[in-house]
Amino acid sequence: MSRTFTADENTALIALLVGTIEHHPLPQSEHVQRLRSILEKVRPRPKLPLDQEIEQDRFEDLVDE
């Protein structure tokens, strides 16, 4: 069952999840891990380039100078 939230609802949900996760006394508990999983679905992390690509970009920057 998929739900669509407004931007305000999404912001409130993210704030609630982050606050609960950050202030939980047992950060490695199954409960917190489940909340982290939900947070990833609501606020996915951006894909980061591979370390090798980062190093290649730095090398190209040095060559261009």
Side-chain angles (χ1 to χ4, degrees), residues 47-65:
K47 301 250 183 212
L48 298 176
L50 299 174
D51 290 338
Q52 187 177 32
E53 292 174 359
I54 293 171
E55 290 301 320
Q56 181 64 31
D57 289 344
R58 288 182 187 157
F59 177 74
E60 289 173 358
D61 289 343
L62 292 173
V63 172
D64 290 339
E65 291 178 353

Side-chain angles (χ1 to χ4, degrees), residues 3-16 42-43:
R3 301 279 186 225
T4 303
F5 299 110
T6 66
D8 288 340
E9 291 170 334
N10 199 47
T11 300
L13 181 58
I14 290 170
L16 178 64
V42 177
R43 184 190 67 177

